[in-house]
Amino acid sequence: MNRTHLAALAVVLGCAFSASAGDEVPPTPTPEAGPQVYGDTPEELVPYGKFTEPYKTFFLEPNEYRGYGRHIPEPEHVDSVKIVFLGPIEATVSVATGGASHEEPLGRKMLQGARLAIENANERGGYRGTETPYELVVRNDNGLWGASGNEIVDLAYNENVWAILGTIDGANSHIAIRVALKAEIPMMNTGDTDPTFIETAIPWVCRNITDDRQMSYLLADHVFGELELTRVAALRANNRYGRMSIDEFRDAATRLGHPFLAELNYQLGDTDFTPQLERIKALDPEVVITWGDSEESALILAQMRAMGMDQLFIGSDRMVTAEFLEIAGAEAGSVAAAYPYDPESRDPKHLEFVKQFTARFGEPPEAYAAHAYDGMAQIVEAIEKGGLNRALIRDEMWAVKTWHGVTGEKVYDAICSNRSPALLAVV
C-alpha cells in the first residue's frame, strides 16, 4: 500500500463571466510538469487505474475569476474591517438533516479560534497597522435549508463585509458557496470535510481543513495495508455527512478487492442500534466503520462491546472528543479515527497557539478551533496584501500554495483545497 500520504501517528488519550474593462486578470498558473492526480489519490485507488487512462480529468487546473472588481479603489474611510464568522453556534431544528441540529459544539470551537485570530490581528495594529480594527461579525448557521445563503446576501450587500469564514454542515455549505459566487465575496471554509464541497468550480472558495477523502485514504491504508484486514461492515449516519464522507473509504475497499459486507445506516438522534448491530454481528466482520457525530458513534461502540463484538472500530474525526471516550467507557477496546490535527505537535507556532487559546478560553483547542484560527489568519493576510477589494482578496487567497499555520504545513491543490495528510488517532 502506498503510504506517502501518511504523515504521522497521533496518539490521543483522554481526549463563468467575461472580464470587464479596467480589470486586470491575473495570469493562470502554469500546471506542474508530469502526471497529476486529483486529491493525492494513491495509485492503487485511482478509479479504473488498472484498466484504462481517463479521456478527461477534472480539478487539476485553477478555477479562474475573470469578472469585475479588481479596479475598484478602496473606500476612503472605514470604521472597521468586517469579516464574517458563519457557523452553527445556537441549537435549532435542521431541515437539511431532518431533525435537531447537532454541530453546535464544533461551531462554538470554530468561533473561539476565529475570535482569537481577530484579537491577535488587532493587537498587531489592525488593518495594515493603521489601528483600524478588524471586526468579527458573527452569524449562526442555523441548519435551515438555505438560511446560510440568506445570511450571506445580507452580509454582502448590507453589512459590507470583506470575507467570510464558515461553515460545517455539508448541505448548507454547498448553498452558501453558490451565494458567495453570485455576491462575489471570498469565503474560507474550515469545517466542512465533505470531499465534494470544493468540486463546484467556484473561484471564490478555499478550504483549509483536511477533507474526508484524505482521512479515508489514511484509514484504508491502516486497515488493508498495515493490519491486512479484509472484512469490513459499515454503520453510518443517514445524512449528507455520513453518506458522502464515507464514499472514499468504500471505494478504496472495493478497488482493493474488499467490498463492504454491509452498509447500514441510522437516523440522527437514534440511541438504540441493536437491530443493525445484530445484522453486522452475524456477518462476522473484522472491522466496523462508522461515519457520524461523536455521541452516536460512541453509543454504537458501547453497544457493540456489550454484545460481545470486539472488532476494530474505526471512524471519522468527530470521534476524537472527550464526549466519545466518556460514553464509550473503559471497555472501548480497539478504536482508531482519522484526524486532521496533531494536538501533540511541538511546532513553536502550535505551542504558542495552545498557550494563548488555553489562557483565553480556559481549555485547550481541538481541530475545529485550530483550523478556524488558521483560516481567519489566512483571510487577514489576504486582506493585508490585497487591500479592501474583494476580488483582490480572493486573488491573494488563491495565490497561496503552501501556508504554515498552527495546524502545520498546508498544501493547497489547484482548486484551493488543503491536501495535507490526516493523522491516525488511536485509543
Side-chain angles (χ1 to χ4, degrees):
M1 191 80 177
N2 184 342
R3 296 193 177 93
T4 57
H5 62 283
L6 180 57
L9 179 67
V11 180
V12 180
L13 299 173
C15 132
F17 300 93
S18 59
S20 301
D23 282 341
E24 181 180 349
V25 179
T28 301
T30 302
E32 295 180 5
Q36 293 179 279
V37 179
Y38 170 62
D40 291 339
T41 303
E43 182 179 358
E44 62 271 28
L45 302 184
V46 174
Y48 308 104
K50 298 178 182 179
F51 308 105
T52 186
E53 289 291 326
Y55 68 88
K56 185 173 179 60
T57 57
F58 297 90
F59 315 126
L60 298 181
E61 296 180 2
N63 299 325
E64 298 179 69
Y65 173 63
R66 295 189 174 274
Y68 177 89
R70 294 181 177 94
H71 70 289
I72 299 175
E74 291 196 31
E76 293 183 1
H77 173 77
V78 293
D79 294 322
S80 64
V81 177
K82 295 180 178 181
I83 305 174
V84 175
F85 170 88
L86 179 63
I89 53 177
E90 298 175 5
T92 184
V93 174
S94 171
V95 174
T97 61
S101 58
H102 57 286
E103 293 164 339
E104 290 77 26
L106 305 180
R108 293 177 190 127
K109 289 296 183 181
M110 279 178 56
L111 178 57
Q112 289 176 335
R115 195 180 297 282
L116 182 58
I118 290 291
E119 291 171 358
N120 285 346
N122 286 333
E123 287 180 5
R124 295 191 299 268
Y127 175 60
R128 291 181 169 175
T130 63
E131 302 301 327
T132 300
Y134 287 96
E135 179 183 348
L136 188 64
V137 180
V138 179
R139 292 290 186 273
N140 182 47
D141 180 8
N142 64 11
L144 295 174
W145 188 267
S148 58
N150 294 335
E151 289 284 5
I152 291 175
V153 170
D154 178 66
L155 292 163
Y157 295 106
N158 296 327
E159 293 281 351
N160 297 317
V161 302
W162 298 101
I164 298 172
L165 183 145
T167 177
I168 297 176
D169 178 78
N172 279 359
S173 293
H174 269 273
I175 294 174
I177 60 177
R178 284 160 174 81
V179 178
L181 169 65
K182 291 297 185 181
E184 298 182 343
I185 184 167
M187 188 169 183
M188 173 66 77
N189 185 279
T190 68
D192 183 2
T193 56
D194 178 353
T196 68
F197 166 81
I198 207 69
E199 298 170 359
T200 50
I202 293 175
W204 290 87
V205 180
C206 291
R207 171 167 59 192
N208 82 335
I209 191 169
T210 300
D211 70 359
D212 288 313
R213 175 185 295 273
Q214 309 305 131
M215 290 194 248
S216 290
Y217 293 161
L218 173 65
L219 289 173
D221 182 82
H222 180 60
V223 170
F224 305 118
E226 294 178 336
L227 302 179
E228 298 182 345
L229 303 176
T230 61
R231 297 176 59 80
V232 182
L235 177 55
R236 58 156 177 87
N238 189 28
N239 61 358
R240 184 181 181 88
Y241 177 68
R243 181 176 67 255
M244 301 301 296
S245 296
I246 204 173
D247 269 1
E248 292 302 326
F249 185 91
R250 181 199 306 113
D251 289 348
T254 301
R255 288 168 187 147
L256 292 171
H258 314 303
F260 285 173
L261 301 175
E263 181 176 349
L264 308 179
N265 60 64
Y266 61 85
Q267 299 296 325
L268 293 181
D270 282 357
T271 58
D272 183 6
F273 307 95
T274 303
Q276 298 98 316
L277 289 175
E278 286 178 343
R279 291 178 61 186
I280 290 174
K281 184 178 182 180
L283 296 171
D284 192 27
E286 298 169 304
V287 182
V288 176
I289 182 172
T290 192
W291 222 277
D293 292 325
S294 178
E295 181 178 359
E296 287 94 340
S297 298
L299 288 171
I300 291 170
L301 176 59
Q303 290 173 31
M304 278 178 56
R305 299 303 187 234
M307 295 170 63
M309 300 174 65
D310 60 358
Q311 291 91 346
L312 170 64
F313 188 71
I314 63 173
S316 72
D317 63 288
R318 296 190 185 183
M319 285 168 45
V320 188
T321 66
E323 177 190 43
F324 176 89
L325 292 172
E326 181 180 350
I327 296 172
E331 303 301 320
S334 183
V335 182
Y339 201 52
Y341 170 64
D342 183 1
E344 298 180 346
S345 169
R346 306 308 296 173
D347 185 310
K349 278 193 172 184
H350 177 255
L351 294 176
E352 179 61 25
F353 166 67
V354 172
K355 179 181 177 181
Q356 287 188 357
F357 189 97
T358 304
R360 175 67 172 82
F361 300 109
E363 58 186 359
E366 43 70 89
Y368 288 81
H371 281 89
Y373 181 91
D374 274 351
M376 187 60 75
Q378 282 188 258
I379 290 175
V380 169
E381 184 177 288
I383 293 173
E384 294 283 308
K385 292 180 178 180
L388 299 182
N389 177 301
R390 290 177 183 169
L392 296 179
I393 295 168
R394 174 264 168 213
D395 290 348
E396 293 296 338
M397 287 173 58
W398 274 74
V400 174
K401 298 307 175 189
T402 61
W403 198 84
H404 187 185
V406 303
T407 56
E409 190 79 4
K410 301 297 181 189
V411 180
Y412 289 92
D413 66 7
I415 54 174
C416 209
S417 186
N418 171 41
R419 292 301 175 199
S420 56
L423 295 94
L424 192 68
V426 300
V427 177

